[in-house]
Amino acid sequence: MGGDLEGLLAVLAPEVTLWTDSGAGAATSLQPVHGRTAVAEVFMSVAAAGLDGYRVGWRTVSGDPCAVIFDGDAPLAVVVLEVAPDDTVIGVYSVTNPAELTRVNAPDPTR
């Protein structure tokens, strides 16, 4: 979210794939994005659009650990990472369709 391209490239596997949902026109890309550079470009364009004021909460959603991006108390995105044994990210699953995020709870302000 901070726009650290070098840090992002360091954790993405060369063959990483990004999938985004396509409901409600919310997707960044309607097709899977393949490759470290292409996936990094998507995330850098999102970061460049301005993410000031958003918060990240950590949750388990459908049994998977994930990051949830919040705009105030409203979930903006759920991002699930598939991590290889070498600790590089080989899959990114991003859900931004508001209809799919209705059961995601707001972050606990005391944590």
Side-chain angles (χ1 to χ4, degrees):
M1 287 178 52
D4 178 5
L5 178 58
E6 288 183 31
L8 179 59
L9 289 171
V11 299
L12 295 176
E15 69 281 1
V16 65
T17 300
L18 165 67
W19 291 269
T20 61
D21 61 351
S22 60
T28 303
S29 173
L30 297 178
Q31 300 296 319
V33 177
H34 301 287
R36 176 187 288 151
T37 302
V39 171
E41 287 174 359
V42 170
F43 279 103
M44 294 306 291
S45 69
V46 170
L51 296 174
D52 294 334
Y54 294 115
R55 294 177 292 156
V56 177
W58 303 101
R59 300 281 187 283
T60 299
V61 176
S62 298
D64 293 313
C66 62
V68 182
I69 315 303
F70 287 95
D71 182 6
D73 287 340
L76 183 67
V78 171
V79 180
V80 179
L81 302 177
E82 182 180 359
V83 180
D86 67 356
D87 290 331
T88 59
V89 175
I90 58 174
V92 181
Y93 308 88
S94 174
V95 178
T96 57
N97 182 345
E100 300 292 326
L101 301 174
T102 58
R103 296 188 327 207
V104 178
N105 297 324
D108 181 349
T110 62
R111 296 174 54 176

